Amino acid sequence: MRRVTTPPRLVLTDIEGTTTAISFVHQVLFPFAAEALDGYLAANPAEAAPILAEVSAMEPGRPPAETLRAWMAADAKVTPLKTLQGLIWRQGYQDRRLKGHLWPDVADALRGWHAGGLELAVYSSGSEEAQRLIFGHSVAGDLVPLFRGFFDTRMGGKREAPSYTAIAEALGLFPGDILFLSDVGLELDAAQSAGMRTCQLVRPEDKTVAVAGHPEARDFVQVTTLFGLPSGG
């Protein structure tokens, strides 16, 4: 794969499978939220009320807690569920029962890109709250100050091109100035359709399957080389 000669102005990164092991999300975060759901709803009625009202509006005639559990089981990309999970995880991070996983190559690369003048942002199906938590309480320390913005499903679905157009507009950049990193081919296709540059993270540990039509990298070190990104200040 040849090196891309003109670097982007901003890197927009996915989380699960890209910066963070899929197993951490599915084997740590999701079970944690499911186990804590009932206790959180009971202990935080004011904070939970608007979320439960939104759930009831989407699935009328069914107890909202039951709907939430069904969505959890299906890993549904539904905003009220993601918002609630983020709130539950916040408690876990704050009392140190949780610490955000990052692959060993990620933090140094992000710091180097930022120090070299490259802007950073996140786009994940997890809520903005959850994104800030995983980077703010990561194994590598608090990385939130490195990022210009955090975007979730309120921008639209990750497999829909208009979502990426909306993110570029929110950032005040042309889509072509943005490099999107993800492990999922359909997300990369959508970003590419919106005019963004793309790169697939193909991490053997996550058993990612490479797809056609996009540059690929095994880690953020290779992304740095491939796209001519800064490696420090």
Side-chain angles (χ1 to χ4, degrees), residues 3 10 14 33 122:
R3 171 174 164 164
L10 181 142
D14 171 48
V122 176

Side-chain angles (χ1 to χ4, degrees), residues 29-156:
L29 290 184
F30 285 174
F32 184 93
E35 183 176 347
L37 175 64
D38 292 336
Y40 182 86
L41 294 176
N44 301 274
E47 197 168 36
I51 298 172
L52 296 178
E54 188 175 358
V55 173
S56 294
M58 296 174 69
E59 294 281 350
R62 185 182 191 185
E66 182 180 321
T67 299
L68 286 164
R69 288 199 177 279
W71 285 345
M72 284 181 174
D75 188 18
K77 312 299 185 184
V78 186
T79 298
L81 170 63
K82 296 302 181 180
T83 300
L84 181 62
Q85 287 174 322
L87 294 172
I88 293 172
W89 293 330
R90 180 177 64 189
Q91 288 191 342
Y93 284 112
Q94 287 177 341
D95 63 23
R96 299 185 179 181
R97 286 177 292 163
L98 291 174
K99 189 171 285 290
H101 173 268
L102 296 176
W103 290 114
D105 55 277
V106 170
D108 285 346
L110 291 175
R111 289 183 175 118
W113 297 347
H114 181 267
L118 185 62
E119 294 186 304
L120 305 174
V122 176
Y123 181 33
S124 172
S125 58
S127 68
E128 179 182 334
E129 168 83 1
Q131 297 171 29
R132 290 180 178 276
L133 288 169
I134 201 168
F135 285 108
H137 299 267
S138 83
V139 293
D142 181 6
L143 302 181
V144 168
L146 302 180
F147 293 95
R148 176 179 168 186
F150 295 86
F151 300 96
D152 58 24
T153 52
R154 290 173 292 183
M155 303 303 294

